[in-house]
CSV table of all heavy atoms in Angstrom, one decimal:
chain,number,residue,atom,x,y,z
A,1,MET,N,27.3,68.3,-92.0
A,1,MET,CA,27.2,68.7,-90.5
A,1,MET,C,26.7,67.5,-89.8
A,1,MET,O,25.9,66.7,-90.3
A,1,MET,CB,26.2,69.8,-90.4
A,1,MET,CG,26.1,70.4,-89.0
A,1,MET,SD,25.2,72.0,-89.0
A,1,MET,CE,25.3,72.3,-87.2
A,3,ASP,N,25.4,66.0,-85.8
A,3,ASP,CA,24.9,66.3,-84.5
A,3,ASP,C,24.7,65.0,-83.7
A,3,ASP,O,24.1,64.1,-84.2
A,3,ASP,CB,23.5,67.1,-84.6
A,3,ASP,CG,22.9,67.4,-83.2
A,3,ASP,OD1,23.5,68.4,-82.6
A,3,ASP,OD2,22.1,66.6,-82.7
A,6,ARG,N,24.0,66.6,-78.4
A,6,ARG,CA,24.7,67.4,-77.4
A,6,ARG,C,25.7,66.6,-76.5
A,6,ARG,O,26.4,67.3,-75.8
A,6,ARG,CB,23.7,68.0,-76.5
A,6,ARG,CG,22.5,68.7,-77.1
A,6,ARG,CD,23.0,69.8,-78.0
A,6,ARG,NE,21.7,70.5,-78.5
A,6,ARG,CZ,21.1,70.4,-79.6
A,6,ARG,NH1,21.7,69.4,-80.4
A,6,ARG,NH2,20.0,71.0,-80.0
A,61,PHE,N,14.4,75.6,-70.6
A,61,PHE,CA,15.8,75.2,-70.8
A,61,PHE,C,16.6,75.3,-69.5
A,61,PHE,O,16.3,76.3,-68.7
A,61,PHE,CB,16.5,75.8,-71.9
A,61,PHE,CG,15.9,75.6,-73.3
A,61,PHE,CD1,14.6,76.2,-73.6
A,61,PHE,CD2,16.4,74.7,-74.1
A,61,PHE,CE1,14.0,76.0,-74.8
A,61,PHE,CE2,15.8,74.4,-75.3
A,61,PHE,CZ,14.6,75.1,-75.7
A,62,ASP,N,17.6,74.6,-69.4
A,62,ASP,CA,18.6,74.7,-68.2
A,62,ASP,C,19.5,76.0,-68.4
A,62,ASP,O,19.4,76.6,-69.6
A,62,ASP,CB,19.3,73.5,-67.8
A,62,ASP,CG,20.3,73.0,-68.8
A,62,ASP,OD1,20.7,73.8,-69.7
A,62,ASP,OD2,20.7,71.8,-68.7
A,63,SER,N,20.4,76.3,-67.5
A,63,SER,CA,21.2,77.5,-67.7
A,63,SER,C,22.2,77.3,-68.8
A,63,SER,O,22.7,78.4,-69.3
A,63,SER,CB,21.9,77.7,-66.4
A,63,SER,OG,22.7,76.7,-65.9
A,64,GLU,N,22.4,76.1,-69.3
A,64,GLU,CA,23.4,75.9,-70.4
A,64,GLU,C,22.6,75.8,-71.7
A,64,GLU,O,23.3,75.5,-72.8
A,64,GLU,CB,24.2,74.6,-70.1
A,64,GLU,CG,25.1,74.7,-68.9
A,64,GLU,CD,25.9,73.4,-68.7
A,64,GLU,OE1,25.6,72.4,-69.4
A,64,GLU,OE2,26.8,73.4,-67.8
A,65,GLY,N,21.3,76.0,-71.7
A,65,GLY,CA,20.6,75.9,-73.0
A,65,GLY,C,20.2,74.6,-73.4
A,65,GLY,O,19.7,74.3,-74.5
A,66,LYS,N,20.1,73.6,-72.5
A,66,LYS,CA,19.6,72.2,-72.8
A,66,LYS,C,18.2,72.1,-72.3
A,66,LYS,O,17.8,72.5,-71.3
A,66,LYS,CB,20.5,71.2,-72.0
A,66,LYS,CG,22.0,71.2,-72.4
A,66,LYS,CD,22.8,70.2,-71.6
A,66,LYS,CE,24.2,70.2,-72.1
A,66,LYS,NZ,25.0,69.2,-71.2
A,67,MET,N,17.5,71.6,-73.2
A,67,MET,CA,16.0,71.6,-73.0
A,67,MET,C,15.5,70.6,-71.7
A,67,MET,O,16.1,69.6,-71.6
A,67,MET,CB,15.2,71.0,-74.2
A,67,MET,CG,13.7,71.2,-74.1
A,67,MET,SD,12.8,71.2,-75.7
A,67,MET,CE,13.1,69.6,-76.3
A,79,GLY,N,11.7,70.6,-81.8
A,79,GLY,CA,13.1,70.0,-82.0
A,79,GLY,C,14.0,70.9,-82.5
A,79,GLY,O,15.3,70.7,-82.3
A,80,ALA,N,13.7,72.0,-83.2
A,80,ALA,CA,14.6,73.1,-83.6
A,80,ALA,C,14.9,74.2,-82.6
A,80,ALA,O,15.9,74.9,-82.7
A,80,ALA,CB,14.0,73.6,-84.9
A,81,MET,N,14.0,74.3,-81.6
A,81,MET,CA,14.2,75.5,-80.7
A,81,MET,C,15.5,75.4,-80.0
A,81,MET,O,16.0,76.5,-79.7
A,81,MET,CB,13.0,75.6,-79.8
A,81,MET,CG,12.8,77.1,-79.3
A,81,MET,SD,11.5,77.2,-78.0
A,81,MET,CE,10.1,76.6,-79.0
A,82,PRO,N,16.0,74.3,-79.6
A,82,PRO,CA,17.3,74.4,-78.9
A,82,PRO,C,18.4,75.0,-79.7
A,82,PRO,O,19.3,75.5,-79.1
A,82,PRO,CB,17.6,72.8,-78.7
A,82,PRO,CG,16.3,72.1,-78.6
A,82,PRO,CD,15.4,72.9,-79.6
A,83,PHE,N,18.3,74.8,-81.0
A,83,PHE,CA,19.4,75.5,-81.8
A,83,PHE,C,19.2,77.1,-81.7
A,83,PHE,O,20.2,77.8,-81.7
A,83,PHE,CB,19.2,75.1,-83.3
A,83,PHE,CG,19.5,73.7,-83.5
A,83,PHE,CD1,18.5,72.7,-83.4
A,83,PHE,CD2,20.8,73.3,-83.9
A,83,PHE,CE1,18.8,71.4,-83.6
A,83,PHE,CE2,21.1,72.0,-84.1
A,83,PHE,CZ,20.1,71.1,-83.9
A,84,SER,N,18.0,77.6,-81.5
A,84,SER,CA,17.8,79.0,-81.3
A,84,SER,C,18.3,79.5,-80.0
A,84,SER,O,18.9,80.5,-79.9
A,84,SER,CB,16.3,79.3,-81.4
A,84,SER,OG,15.8,79.1,-82.7
A,85,VAL,N,18.1,78.6,-79.0
A,85,VAL,CA,18.6,79.0,-77.6
A,85,VAL,C,20.1,79.0,-77.6
A,85,VAL,O,20.7,79.9,-77.1
A,85,VAL,CB,18.0,78.0,-76.6
A,85,VAL,CG1,18.7,78.3,-75.2
A,85,VAL,CG2,16.5,78.1,-76.5
A,86,GLU,N,20.6,78.0,-78.3
A,86,GLU,CA,22.1,78.0,-78.3
A,86,GLU,C,22.7,79.2,-79.1
A,86,GLU,O,23.7,79.8,-78.7
A,86,GLU,CB,22.6,76.7,-79.2
A,86,GLU,CG,24.0,76.5,-79.3
A,86,GLU,CD,24.4,75.2,-80.1
A,86,GLU,OE1,23.5,74.5,-80.4
A,86,GLU,OE2,25.6,75.0,-80.3
A,87,ALA,N,22.0,79.6,-80.2
A,87,ALA,CA,22.5,80.8,-80.9
A,87,ALA,C,22.4,82.0,-80.1
A,87,ALA,O,23.2,82.9,-80.1
A,87,ALA,CB,21.7,81.0,-82.1
A,88,ALA,N,21.3,82.1,-79.2
A,88,ALA,CA,21.1,83.3,-78.4
A,88,ALA,C,22.2,83.4,-77.3
A,88,ALA,O,22.7,84.4,-77.0
A,88,ALA,CB,19.7,83.2,-77.7
A,89,LEU,N,22.6,82.2,-76.7
A,89,LEU,CA,23.7,82.2,-75.7
A,89,LEU,C,24.9,82.5,-76.4
A,89,LEU,O,25.9,83.0,-75.8
A,89,LEU,CB,23.6,80.9,-75.0
A,89,LEU,CG,22.4,80.6,-74.1
A,89,LEU,CD1,22.4,79.3,-73.5
A,89,LEU,CD2,22.4,81.7,-73.0
A,90,ASP,N,25.2,82.0,-77.6
A,90,ASP,CA,26.5,82.3,-78.3
A,90,ASP,C,26.6,83.8,-78.5
A,90,ASP,O,27.8,84.4,-78.3
A,90,ASP,CB,26.6,81.6,-79.7
A,90,ASP,CG,26.8,80.1,-79.6
A,90,ASP,OD1,27.2,79.7,-78.5
A,90,ASP,OD2,26.5,79.4,-80.6
A,91,ARG,N,25.5,84.5,-78.8
A,91,ARG,CA,25.6,85.9,-79.0
A,91,ARG,C,25.7,86.7,-77.7
A,91,ARG,O,26.3,87.7,-77.6
A,91,ARG,CB,24.3,86.4,-79.8
A,91,ARG,CG,24.2,87.8,-80.0
A,91,ARG,CD,25.4,88.5,-80.9
A,91,ARG,NE,25.3,89.9,-81.0
A,91,ARG,CZ,25.6,90.8,-80.1
A,91,ARG,NH1,26.2,90.4,-78.9
A,91,ARG,NH2,25.5,92.2,-80.2
A,92,TYR,N,24.9,86.2,-76.7
A,92,TYR,CA,24.8,86.9,-75.4
A,92,TYR,C,25.2,85.8,-74.4
A,92,TYR,O,24.3,85.2,-73.8
A,92,TYR,CB,23.5,87.4,-75.1
A,92,TYR,CG,23.1,88.6,-76.1
A,92,TYR,CD1,22.2,88.3,-77.2
A,92,TYR,CD2,23.6,89.8,-76.0
A,92,TYR,CE1,21.9,89.4,-78.0
A,92,TYR,CE2,23.3,90.9,-76.8
A,92,TYR,CZ,22.4,90.6,-77.9
A,92,TYR,OH,22.1,91.6,-78.7
A,93,PRO,N,26.5,85.6,-74.0
A,93,PRO,CA,26.9,84.8,-72.9
A,93,PRO,C,26.2,85.2,-71.7
A,93,PRO,O,25.8,86.4,-71.5
A,93,PRO,CB,28.4,84.9,-72.9
A,93,PRO,CG,28.8,85.3,-74.3
A,93,PRO,CD,27.7,86.2,-74.7
A,94,PRO,N,26.1,84.3,-70.7
A,94,PRO,CA,25.4,84.7,-69.4
A,94,PRO,C,25.9,85.9,-68.8
A,94,PRO,O,25.1,86.6,-68.2
A,94,PRO,CB,25.7,83.4,-68.5
A,94,PRO,CG,25.8,82.3,-69.5
A,94,PRO,CD,26.5,82.9,-70.7
A,96,THR,N,26.6,88.6,-70.1
A,96,THR,CA,26.1,89.8,-70.7
A,96,THR,C,24.6,90.0,-70.5
A,96,THR,O,24.0,90.9,-71.1
A,96,THR,CB,26.5,89.7,-72.2
A,96,THR,OG1,25.7,88.7,-72.8
A,96,THR,CG2,27.9,89.5,-72.5
A,97,LEU,N,24.0,89.1,-69.9
A,97,LEU,CA,22.6,89.1,-69.7
A,97,LEU,C,22.1,89.6,-68.3
A,97,LEU,O,23.0,89.5,-67.4
A,97,LEU,CB,21.9,87.7,-69.9
A,97,LEU,CG,22.0,87.1,-71.4
A,97,LEU,CD1,21.7,85.6,-71.3
A,97,LEU,CD2,21.2,87.9,-72.3
A,102,ALA,N,15.4,89.9,-73.0
A,102,ALA,CA,14.8,88.8,-73.8
A,102,ALA,C,15.4,89.0,-75.2
A,102,ALA,O,15.5,90.1,-75.8
A,102,ALA,CB,13.4,89.0,-73.9
A,103,VAL,N,15.9,87.8,-75.7
A,103,VAL,CA,16.6,87.9,-77.1
A,103,VAL,C,15.7,87.4,-78.1
A,103,VAL,O,15.1,86.3,-78.0
A,103,VAL,CB,17.9,87.0,-76.9
A,103,VAL,CG1,18.6,86.9,-78.3
A,103,VAL,CG2,18.8,87.5,-75.9
A,104,LEU,N,15.6,88.1,-79.2
A,104,LEU,CA,14.8,87.8,-80.4
A,104,LEU,C,15.6,87.4,-81.5
A,104,LEU,O,16.7,88.0,-81.8
A,104,LEU,CB,13.9,89.0,-80.7
A,104,LEU,CG,13.0,88.9,-81.9
A,104,LEU,CD1,11.8,88.0,-81.7
A,104,LEU,CD2,12.5,90.2,-82.5
A,105,LEU,N,15.2,86.3,-82.3
A,105,LEU,CA,15.8,86.0,-83.5
A,105,LEU,C,14.9,85.2,-84.4
A,105,LEU,O,13.9,84.6,-84.0
A,105,LEU,CB,17.0,85.1,-83.1
A,105,LEU,CG,16.8,83.7,-82.6
A,105,LEU,CD1,17.8,82.7,-83.3
A,105,LEU,CD2,17.0,83.6,-81.1
A,106,ASN,N,15.2,85.2,-85.7
A,106,ASN,CA,14.5,84.4,-86.6
A,106,ASN,C,15.4,83.8,-87.7
A,106,ASN,O,15.1,83.2,-88.7
A,106,ASN,CB,13.4,85.0,-87.2
A,106,ASN,CG,13.7,86.2,-88.3
A,106,ASN,OD1,14.8,86.5,-88.4
A,106,ASN,ND2,12.8,86.5,-89.0
A,107,ASP,N,16.7,84.2,-87.8
A,107,ASP,CA,17.6,84.0,-88.8
A,107,ASP,C,17.8,82.4,-88.9
A,107,ASP,O,18.4,81.8,-88.0
A,107,ASP,CB,19.0,84.7,-88.6
A,107,ASP,CG,20.0,84.5,-89.7
A,107,ASP,OD1,19.7,83.7,-90.6
A,107,ASP,OD2,21.0,85.2,-89.7
A,108,PRO,N,17.4,81.8,-90.0
A,108,PRO,CA,17.6,80.4,-90.2
A,108,PRO,C,19.0,79.9,-90.1
A,108,PRO,O,19.3,78.7,-89.8
A,108,PRO,CB,17.0,80.1,-91.6
A,108,PRO,CG,16.1,81.2,-91.8
A,108,PRO,CD,16.7,82.4,-91.2
A,109,PHE,N,20.0,80.8,-90.5
A,109,PHE,CA,21.4,80.4,-90.5
A,109,PHE,C,22.2,80.9,-89.2
A,109,PHE,O,23.3,80.7,-89.1
A,109,PHE,CB,22.0,81.1,-91.7
A,109,PHE,CG,21.5,80.6,-93.0
A,109,PHE,CD1,20.6,81.4,-93.7
A,109,PHE,CD2,21.8,79.4,-93.5
A,109,PHE,CE1,19.9,81.0,-94.8
A,109,PHE,CE2,21.2,78.9,-94.7
A,109,PHE,CZ,20.3,79.7,-95.4
A,110,ARG,N,21.3,81.2,-88.2
A,110,ARG,CA,21.8,81.5,-86.9
A,110,ARG,C,20.8,81.1,-85.9
A,110,ARG,O,20.3,81.8,-84.9
A,110,ARG,CB,22.2,83.0,-86.7
A,110,ARG,CG,23.4,83.5,-87.5
A,110,ARG,CD,23.8,84.9,-87.2
A,110,ARG,NE,24.3,85.1,-85.9
A,110,ARG,CZ,24.8,86.2,-85.3
A,110,ARG,NH1,24.7,87.3,-86.0
A,110,ARG,NH2,25.2,86.2,-84.0
A,111,GLY,N,20.4,79.8,-86.0
A,111,GLY,CA,19.6,79.2,-84.9
A,111,GLY,C,18.1,79.1,-85.2
A,111,GLY,O,17.3,78.5,-84.6
A,112,GLY,N,17.6,79.8,-86.4
A,112,GLY,CA,16.2,79.9,-86.7
A,112,GLY,C,15.8,78.7,-87.6
A,112,GLY,O,16.7,77.8,-87.8
A,113,ALA,N,14.6,78.7,-88.1
A,113,ALA,CA,14.1,77.7,-89.0
A,113,ALA,C,13.7,78.3,-90.4
A,113,ALA,O,14.3,77.9,-91.4
A,113,ALA,CB,12.9,77.0,-88.3
A,117,ASP,N,9.0,82.4,-88.4
A,117,ASP,CA,9.0,81.9,-86.9
A,117,ASP,C,10.0,82.7,-86.2
A,117,ASP,O,11.2,82.6,-86.3
A,117,ASP,CB,9.5,80.4,-86.9
A,117,ASP,CG,8.4,79.4,-87.4
A,117,ASP,OD1,7.2,79.8,-87.4
A,117,ASP,OD2,8.7,78.3,-87.6
A,118,LEU,N,9.4,83.6,-85.3
A,118,LEU,CA,10.2,84.4,-84.4
A,118,LEU,C,10.4,83.7,-83.0
A,118,LEU,O,9.3,83.3,-82.4
A,118,LEU,CB,9.5,85.8,-84.2
A,118,LEU,CG,10.0,86.8,-85.3
A,118,LEU,CD1,9.7,86.4,-86.7
A,118,LEU,CD2,9.3,88.2,-84.9
A,119,THR,N,11.6,83.6,-82.5
A,119,THR,CA,11.9,82.9,-81.2
A,119,THR,C,12.3,84.0,-80.3
A,119,THR,O,13.1,84.9,-80.6
A,119,THR,CB,12.9,81.9,-81.4
A,119,THR,OG1,12.5,80.9,-82.4
A,119,THR,CG2,13.2,81.2,-80.1
A,120,LEU,N,11.7,83.9,-79.1
A,120,LEU,CA,12.1,84.8,-77.9
A,120,LEU,C,12.7,83.9,-76.8
A,120,LEU,O,12.0,83.0,-76.4
A,120,LEU,CB,10.9,85.6,-77.5
A,120,LEU,CG,11.2,86.9,-76.7
A,120,LEU,CD1,11.9,88.0,-77.4
A,120,LEU,CD2,9.9,87.4,-76.1
A,121,VAL,N,13.9,84.3,-76.3
A,121,VAL,CA,14.6,83.6,-75.3
A,121,VAL,C,14.7,84.5,-74.1
A,121,VAL,O,15.4,85.6,-74.2
A,121,VAL,CB,15.9,83.0,-75.8
A,121,VAL,CG1,16.6,82.2,-74.7
A,121,VAL,CG2,15.8,82.2,-77.0
A,122,THR,N,14.3,84.1,-72.9
A,122,THR,CA,14.5,84.9,-71.7
A,122,THR,C,15.2,84.3,-70.6
A,122,THR,O,14.9,83.1,-70.2
A,122,THR,CB,13.0,85.2,-71.2
A,122,THR,OG1,12.3,86.0,-72.3
A,122,THR,CG2,13.0,86.1,-69.9
A,123,PRO,N,16.3,84.8,-70.1
A,123,PRO,CA,16.9,84.2,-69.0
A,123,PRO,C,16.2,84.4,-67.7
A,123,PRO,O,15.4,85.3,-67.5
A,123,PRO,CB,18.2,85.0,-68.9
A,123,PRO,CG,17.9,86.4,-69.5
A,123,PRO,CD,16.9,86.1,-70.5
A,133,LEU,N,16.2,79.0,-68.6
A,133,LEU,CA,15.8,79.9,-69.7
A,133,LEU,C,14.3,79.5,-70.1
A,133,LEU,O,14.0,78.4,-70.2
A,133,LEU,CB,16.7,79.8,-70.8
A,133,LEU,CG,18.2,80.1,-70.6
A,133,LEU,CD1,19.1,79.2,-71.4
A,133,LEU,CD2,18.4,81.6,-71.1
A,135,ALA,N,11.7,79.9,-73.3
A,135,ALA,CA,11.7,80.3,-74.7
A,135,ALA,C,10.4,79.9,-75.4
A,135,ALA,O,9.7,79.0,-74.9
A,135,ALA,CB,12.8,79.6,-75.4
A,137,ARG,N,8.4,80.1,-79.5
A,137,ARG,CA,8.5,80.3,-81.0
A,137,ARG,C,7.0,80.6,-81.5
A,137,ARG,O,6.2,79.7,-81.2
A,137,ARG,CB,9.2,79.3,-81.7
A,137,ARG,CG,9.2,79.4,-83.2
A,137,ARG,CD,10.2,78.4,-83.9
A,137,ARG,NE,11.5,78.7,-83.6
A,137,ARG,CZ,12.6,77.9,-84.0
A,137,ARG,NH1,12.4,76.9,-84.7
A,137,ARG,NH2,13.7,78.3,-83.7
A,164,ARG,N,15.3,89.6,-91.7
A,164,ARG,CA,16.3,88.5,-91.1
A,164,ARG,C,16.8,89.0,-89.9
A,164,ARG,O,17.6,90.1,-89.9
A,164,ARG,CB,17.3,88.1,-92.1
A,164,ARG,CG,18.1,86.9,-91.8
A,164,ARG,CD,18.9,86.5,-93.0
A,164,ARG,NE,20.2,85.8,-92.6
A,164,ARG,CZ,21.4,86.0,-93.3
A,164,ARG,NH1,21.4,86.8,-94.3
A,164,ARG,NH2,22.4,85.4,-92.8
A,165,ILE,N,16.5,88.4,-88.7
A,165,ILE,CA,16.9,89.0,-87.4
A,165,ILE,C,17.9,88.1,-86.8
A,165,ILE,O,17.5,86.9,-86.4
A,165,ILE,CB,15.7,89.1,-86.5
A,165,ILE,CG1,14.5,89.9,-87.2
A,165,ILE,CG2,16.0,89.8,-85.2
A,165,ILE,CD1,13.2,89.9,-86.5
A,166,PRO,N,19.1,88.6,-86.7
A,166,PRO,CA,20.1,87.8,-85.8
A,166,PRO,C,19.7,87.9,-84.3
A,166,PRO,O,18.8,88.6,-84.0
A,166,PRO,CB,21.4,88.4,-86.2
A,166,PRO,CG,21.1,89.8,-86.4
A,166,PRO,CD,19.7,89.7,-87.1
A,167,PRO,N,20.3,87.1,-83.5
A,167,PRO,CA,20.0,87.3,-82.1
A,167,PRO,C,20.2,88.7,-81.7
A,167,PRO,O,21.3,89.2,-81.8
A,167,PRO,CB,21.0,86.3,-81.4
A,167,PRO,CG,21.2,85.2,-82.4
A,167,PRO,CD,21.2,86.0,-83.7
A,168,VAL,N,19.2,89.3,-81.1
A,168,VAL,CA,19.3,90.7,-80.6
A,168,VAL,C,18.4,90.9,-79.4
A,168,VAL,O,17.4,90.2,-79.4
A,168,VAL,CB,18.9,91.7,-81.8
A,168,VAL,CG1,17.5,91.5,-82.2
A,168,VAL,CG2,19.2,93.1,-81.4
A,169,LYS,N,18.7,91.8,-78.5
A,169,LYS,CA,17.8,92.0,-77.3
A,169,LYS,C,16.6,92.8,-77.7
A,169,LYS,O,16.7,94.0,-78.1
A,169,LYS,CB,18.6,92.6,-76.2
A,169,LYS,CG,19.7,91.8,-75.5
A,169,LYS,CD,20.4,92.5,-74.4
A,169,LYS,CE,21.3,91.6,-73.7
A,169,LYS,NZ,22.1,92.2,-72.5
A,298,VAL,N,17.3,74.1,-93.4
A,298,VAL,CA,18.5,74.3,-92.6
A,298,VAL,C,18.6,73.1,-91.7
A,298,VAL,O,17.6,72.4,-91.4
A,298,VAL,CB,18.5,75.6,-91.8
A,298,VAL,CG1,18.6,76.8,-92.7
A,298,VAL,CG2,17.4,75.7,-90.8
A,300,ALA,N,18.7,72.6,-88.6
A,300,ALA,CA,17.9,72.6,-87.3
A,300,ALA,C,16.5,71.9,-87.7
A,300,ALA,O,15.9,71.2,-86.9
A,300,ALA,CB,17.7,73.9,-86.8
Side-chain angles (χ1 to χ4, degrees):
M1 186 171 184
D3 177 80
R6 315 292 190 269
F61 298 77
D62 66 20
S63 59
E64 296 179 353
K66 297 176 181 177
M67 190 160 66
M81 208 185 303
F83 294 87
S84 296
V85 174
E86 181 180 357
L89 291 177
D90 284 346
R91 175 63 181 84
Y92 295 102
T96 68
L97 294 169
V103 179
L104 178 71
L105 69 140
N106 75 342
D107 185 351
F109 299 100
R110 292 186 67 181
D117 284 346
L118 270 60
T119 301
L120 195 67
V121 182
T122 300
L133 298 142
R137 175 171 289 177
R164 190 167 151 220
I165 308 168
V168 62
K169 289 186 181 181
V298 294

